[in-house]
Amino acid sequence: SGYLVVNSNEVGAIAQMVPAREGSPVPYVRGGSLGAYGRFWDSQQLPCQAPPWGKLNAIDLKTGAIAWQVPLGNMPALEAQGITGTGTPNLGGPLVTAGGLVFIGGAIDSRLRAFDLKTGQEVWRTSLPASGHGAPVTYRGAKSGRQFVVIAAGGGGKFSKGISDAVVAYALPASPPMSAGARQ
């Protein structure tokens, strides 16, 4: 595709450089009273800056330009009030398929999404038992020949309170068989 697809967090953090432990290869490390990654959040854990707070980005590797950027996820407390498009802090990377879909579940709203690789338009989403903070994987079923997308929906950590031990799989719609000459 010539695109590099990467998710990003767009949230401020409060920290300072502090002396490193004795024997460290560097003299200073990131730290402070709030830890190495103290969040700049309000009492509801909403970032204290304008959204979007998380994005999915496609970079054109031929030009280095950003081909598209879209907010990634919705903050659950705001979505309950009808406010969407905020993006969320996120963990876990995307999966890009040969068919031109980008799957990602890293947002804290516990959803797996599919985006069109060329446009960034969200084309599908589903709820997960908890946030998918790891990158999805894909495989082709040995008997069915269908493509599956799988994600561990474990949640937890500083970004999301809900936890789960679920591994969730989705089958992509069957595609027409390729001719022998078209296979690579």
Side-chain angles (χ1 to χ4, degrees), residues 14-166:
I14 301 168
Q16 64 192 46
M17 299 304 292
V18 297
R21 293 186 182 141
E22 190 168 323
S24 174
V26 294
Y28 293 92
V29 295
R30 183 178 171 138
S33 62
L34 298 174
Y37 296 95
R39 303 290 179 219
F40 188 50
W41 286 348
D42 68 10
S43 61
Q44 298 175 357
Q45 290 193 336
L46 296 174
C48 295
Q49 66 196 57
W53 299 310
K55 293 180 185 174
L56 187 62
N57 312 275
I59 297 113
D60 185 325
L61 294 175
K62 293 176 188 139
T63 65
I66 296 173
W68 52 261
Q69 289 181 317
V70 294
L72 178 57
N74 292 302
M75 292 299 273
L78 297 176
E79 188 175 27
Q81 300 173 39
I83 302 168
T84 60
T86 59
T88 75
N90 56 84
L91 295 169
L95 163 75
V96 178
T97 69
L101 293 174
V102 179
F103 287 92
I104 188 164
I108 65 172
D109 60 4
S110 301
R111 294 186 180 122
L112 177 64
R113 292 174 166 82
F115 295 86
D116 181 276
L117 176 61
K118 290 299 180 191
T119 66
Q121 178 182 355
E122 185 178 296
V123 295
W124 176 83
R125 97 175 103 172
T126 190
S127 295
L128 296 170
S131 295
H133 291 317
V137 297
T138 188
Y139 67 93
R140 184 168 308 277
K143 291 182 182 179
S144 69
R146 292 185 68 187
Q147 184 175 5
F148 293 85
V149 173
V150 181
I151 189 163
K158 290 189 182 260
F159 287 157
S160 58
K161 303 235 183 286
I163 58 170
S164 169
D165 61 358

